[in-house]
Amino acid sequence: MVGPLLLLAAAAAQPPAQALKLGRQIAESGVLGIVLPIAQHKETEELVAAHPELTAVERARLRETAKRVFEDGRERLMQAEGRAYAEHLSLSDLRAVTAFQQSEAGKRYRAAMPGVIIETMKVMGTMDFKADVLAAYCKETGKLCAK
């Protein structure tokens, strides 16, 4: 009887189909859904640039391979993020978030996100958390100072 009980428990832990659908919609329109294509393009072009020995046809194939690998990974991430939303938010909250995302303000928010993310990443690129912590600690204590 343990087997059926485990199946029943697993079914009870499964978010409702509507929650999974709404969670997926939120994920698709969220930060990860917007950041991933930007990162994919950047990293693909870096890969292509790192291999000047490839012919034009080979570079095109590398881009196609990158797109395929990206889509596979993106699908796994969107499923995981959508499921996480479905598990952590109520159906009412999921509906409210998707309603916002579909609103005019939500559409403008999503349209602004790529630029906001790129600008934020530029600042992040100049930060070195570990080095900054050590510098502050050195200043405060005189210890762990760079030599």
Side-chain angles (χ1 to χ4, degrees):
M1 198 72 176
V2 172
L5 287 176
L6 287 176
L7 289 175
L8 187 59
Q14 172 83 1
Q18 187 178 20
L20 290 170
K21 181 180 176 185
L22 291 170
R24 176 64 183 248
Q25 281 181 254
I26 293 168
E28 292 283 346
S29 296
V31 173
L32 195 56
I34 291 169
V35 169
L36 288 176
I38 295 168
Q40 182 266 342
H41 176 75
K42 177 183 173 287
E43 292 192 17
T44 297
E45 292 311 309
E46 287 173 357
L47 271 174
V48 171
H51 296 283
E53 73 277 9
L54 296 177
T55 66
V57 171
E58 292 168 328
R59 287 191 303 271
R61 181 157 185 195
L62 179 58
R63 285 184 179 99
E64 289 171 18
T65 301
K67 183 178 179 184
R68 187 181 67 251
V69 170
F70 166 75
E71 289 301 330
D72 290 345
R74 181 186 179 284
E75 178 59 25
R76 287 194 317 272
L77 290 171
M78 290 295 102
Q79 281 184 1
E81 186 176 15
R83 180 178 198 78
Y85 280 126
E87 291 172 348
H88 292 277
L89 294 173
S90 70
L91 205 47
S92 175
D93 288 342
L94 292 165
R95 287 183 184 120
V97 172
T98 55
F100 167 73
Q101 288 179 332
Q102 294 169 359
S103 72
E104 290 306 311
K107 291 174 186 174
R108 287 190 299 275
Y109 173 74
R110 273 196 325 279
M113 283 178 74
V116 170
I117 291 166
I118 289 169
E119 290 174 32
T120 303
M121 295 304 288
K122 286 178 185 174
V123 172
M124 258 181 82
T126 64
M127 297 174 70
D128 182 341
F129 178 71
K130 289 179 185 176
D132 292 346
V133 168
L134 289 175
Y137 189 80
C138 171
K139 186 176 179 180
E140 293 169 8
T141 67
K143 296 183 178 183
L144 302 179
C145 300
K147 295 184 172 115

mmCIF file of all heavy atoms in Angstrom, residues 2 16 18 30 32 78 98 121:
data_model
loop_
_atom_site.group_PDB
_atom_site.id
_atom_site.type_symbol
_atom_site.label_atom_id
_atom_site.label_comp_id
_atom_site.label_asym_id
_atom_site.label_seq_id
_atom_site.Cartn_x
_atom_site.Cartn_y
_atom_site.Cartn_z
ATOM 1 N N VAL A 2 2.159 1.130 0.240
ATOM 2 C CA VAL A 2 3.043 2.290 0.258
ATOM 3 C C VAL A 2 3.103 2.944 -1.120
ATOM 4 O O VAL A 2 3.074 4.159 -1.252
ATOM 5 C CB VAL A 2 4.457 1.903 0.746
ATOM 6 C CG1 VAL A 2 5.417 3.054 0.589
ATOM 7 C CG2 VAL A 2 4.401 1.446 2.188
ATOM 8 N N PRO A 16 -1.851 22.733 -9.544
ATOM 9 C CA PRO A 16 -2.902 22.561 -10.552
ATOM 10 C C PRO A 16 -2.407 22.998 -11.935
ATOM 11 O O PRO A 16 -1.533 23.865 -12.056
ATOM 12 C CB PRO A 16 -4.029 23.473 -10.073
ATOM 13 C CG PRO A 16 -3.696 23.886 -8.694
ATOM 14 C CD PRO A 16 -2.234 23.653 -8.485
ATOM 15 N N GLN A 18 -3.741 24.867 -14.138
ATOM 16 C CA GLN A 18 -3.904 26.300 -14.382
ATOM 17 C C GLN A 18 -2.770 27.100 -13.731
ATOM 18 O O GLN A 18 -2.269 28.063 -14.303
ATOM 19 C CB GLN A 18 -5.254 26.793 -13.883
ATOM 20 C CG GLN A 18 -5.516 28.238 -14.266
ATOM 21 C CD GLN A 18 -6.876 28.738 -13.824
ATOM 22 O OE1 GLN A 18 -7.495 28.179 -12.931
ATOM 23 N NE2 GLN A 18 -7.328 29.811 -14.444
ATOM 24 N N GLY A 30 9.077 37.274 -17.680
ATOM 25 C CA GLY A 30 9.888 37.771 -16.580
ATOM 26 C C GLY A 30 11.314 38.093 -16.967
ATOM 27 O O GLY A 30 11.698 38.038 -18.140
ATOM 28 N N LEU A 32 14.145 36.506 -16.456
ATOM 29 C CA LEU A 32 14.899 35.426 -17.094
ATOM 30 C C LEU A 32 14.506 35.268 -18.562
ATOM 31 O O LEU A 32 15.356 35.093 -19.426
ATOM 32 C CB LEU A 32 14.678 34.114 -16.337
ATOM 33 C CG LEU A 32 15.636 32.978 -16.626
ATOM 34 C CD1 LEU A 32 17.088 33.387 -16.399
ATOM 35 C CD2 LEU A 32 15.298 31.770 -15.771
ATOM 36 N N MET A 78 12.536 27.711 -18.325
ATOM 37 C CA MET A 78 11.182 28.257 -18.280
ATOM 38 C C MET A 78 10.236 27.295 -17.558
ATOM 39 O O MET A 78 9.385 27.719 -16.777
ATOM 40 C CB MET A 78 10.658 28.559 -19.684
ATOM 41 C CG MET A 78 11.334 29.732 -20.378
ATOM 42 S SD MET A 78 11.050 31.320 -19.572
ATOM 43 C CE MET A 78 12.618 31.549 -18.720
ATOM 44 N N THR A 98 -0.126 37.912 -13.909
ATOM 45 C CA THR A 98 -0.310 37.818 -15.363
ATOM 46 C C THR A 98 -1.188 38.955 -15.871
ATOM 47 O O THR A 98 -0.962 39.456 -16.976
ATOM 48 C CB THR A 98 -0.889 36.447 -15.796
ATOM 49 O OG1 THR A 98 -2.096 36.203 -15.100
ATOM 50 C CG2 THR A 98 0.096 35.330 -15.549
ATOM 51 N N MET A 121 23.887 45.702 -15.934
ATOM 52 C CA MET A 121 25.007 44.774 -16.125
ATOM 53 C C MET A 121 26.319 45.517 -16.362
ATOM 54 O O MET A 121 27.380 45.047 -15.956
ATOM 55 C CB MET A 121 24.715 43.817 -17.283
ATOM 56 C CG MET A 121 23.541 42.877 -17.023
ATOM 57 S SD MET A 121 23.699 41.893 -15.528
ATOM 58 C CE MET A 121 24.973 40.766 -16.015
#
